[in-house]
Amino acid sequence: MGPAELVQAAAMARRFYLEGKSKIQIAEEFGVSRFKVARVLETALERDLVRIEIRVPAELDAERSDALRARYGLRHAVVVESPAEAEESPDPENLGEVAADLLGELVNEGDVLGLAWGRSTIHMAAALDRLPPCTVVQLTGVYDAGTAERGSVEAVRRAAQVSGGDAHPIYAPMLLPDAATAAALRNQTGIARAFEYFDKVTVACVSIGSWEPGISTVHDMLSDEERAHYASLGVAAEMSAHLFDGQGRRVGRDLGERCITVKADQLRRIPEVVAIAGGARKASAIDAVLRSGLVTSLVTDTSAADVLMTAGPTPRPALNRADPDGP
């Protein structure tokens, strides 16, 4: 390209890339065809006159995010760099911060936001600084009713405070001794009012647990005998007190009768279900829950993502949300 061509190409590129003008507008300004504008812009890239750089914040891994989204057929996948000092730890706190930003994008005015119990959702709620006006409802009971003010209830209140909407917390344990006690609690006025919103939830935020001590609250709440029973059924993961085997099939459904939690079928009907879970130790559990079709989006870290990208056969798309067990 000669000097005149270089100057013209630079001017066209400035109009297109920096000023946002269309090729037709540029063609009219310079008195050429839009096809010539397209050729000039293409040549400018080939000759290194224009350099396009895609930059995201250092903690986000765009390549892994896109690969993970494509592998599982997710609507959104956001992969965060694992902290060097805690690569084996489940659910690093920075996942909650990124998930808070994602919810700020996904929630619209008038939505009903559902929050399930989990350390990651509690971290997410604490990091929230923007949400459109929406109703916030708790989707599960709490791990320990004595810590409700510092857990799920406070997360629901925090999200409602940020959004300026109504809060519907649940002051009850997640797991009860028997189905009759759980049924009685579900009929209590405050809890029943929260349950009425479950079919109205448009965006949900959930956590995922592996079936091992310290990484699944449900596992930790059960007796040794009960843990052994569910382990014999092939439990690989837990989400909102629902148990899944390695293929994403629900097992141990009787446990749900003793729990204060949103039903799996209700989760399946929610348009956007965002799971927050990370760490290599949780990777197999994340894989199992993604295969269930209950989750549409995921916030995770590089440690988990690297395992997920090689976790067995390519799963069916998560947005195909049919129950793998059938009706």
Side-chain angles (χ1 to χ4, degrees), residues 103-104 106-115 128 130-137 155-168 197 200-204:
L103 281 190
L106 298 180
V107 176
N108 296 306
E109 183 173 352
D111 276 347
V112 177
L113 171 63
L115 300 181
L128 282 172
R130 62 185 176 96
L131 271 182
C134 64
T135 299
V136 186
V137 60
V156 168
R157 285 178 172 169
R158 168 66 181 165
Q161 180 185 37
V162 172
S163 74
D166 294 332
H168 295 277
Y197 278 91
K200 303 174 185 178
V201 173
T202 49
V203 180

Side-chain angles (χ1 to χ4, degrees), residues 116-313:
W117 196 95
R119 298 180 187 90
S120 56
T121 53
I122 292 169
H123 291 153
M124 179 278 300
L128 282 172
D129 59 10
R130 62 185 176 96
L131 271 182
C134 64
T135 299
V136 186
V137 60
Q138 193 170 323
L139 295 178
T140 64
V142 299
Y143 174 46
D144 181 351
T147 63
E149 296 300 315
R150 302 189 301 276
S152 304
V153 171
E154 180 55 32
V156 168
R157 285 178 172 169
R158 168 66 181 165
Q161 180 185 37
V162 172
S163 74
D166 294 332
H168 295 277
I170 294 177
Y171 294 94
M174 181 189 293
L175 180 66
L176 282 304
D178 51 63
T181 305
L185 273 179
R186 292 188 200 104
N187 289 326
Q188 287 189 359
T189 303
I191 298 174
R193 188 178 299 119
F195 268 61
E196 288 173 359
Y197 278 91
F198 286 3
D199 287 326
K200 303 174 185 178
V201 173
T202 49
V203 180
C205 190
V206 300
S207 296
I208 295 172
S210 299
W211 198 247
E212 57 180 301
I215 310 186
S216 165
T217 53
V218 172
H219 177 282
D220 292 347
M221 285 189 284
L222 295 172
S223 67
D224 289 341
E225 183 179 352
E226 290 170 326
R227 291 171 192 156
H229 165 67
Y230 291 116
S232 72
L233 301 179
V235 174
E238 169 264 312
M239 179 181 70
S240 302
H242 300 294
L243 309 180
F244 306 87
D245 68 10
Q247 300 303 312
R249 297 181 292 252
R250 287 179 59 214
V251 295
R253 298 191 183 205
D254 60 303
L255 182 65
E257 298 174 5
R258 296 169 50 195
C259 292
I260 302 296
T261 186
V262 62
K263 294 178 180 179
D265 289 343
Q266 290 173 312
L267 278 173
R268 202 177 300 280
R269 292 193 295 268
I270 295 173
E272 185 74 77
V273 179
V274 180
I276 313 171
R281 290 177 64 188
K282 273 196 177 182
S284 60
I286 297 169
D287 175 66
V289 171
L290 292 182
R291 290 174 186 272
S292 76
L294 293 176
V295 169
T296 62
S297 298
L298 175 69
V299 177
T300 190
D301 64 354
T302 51
S303 294
D306 287 344
V307 179
L308 288 169
M309 290 306 299
T310 57

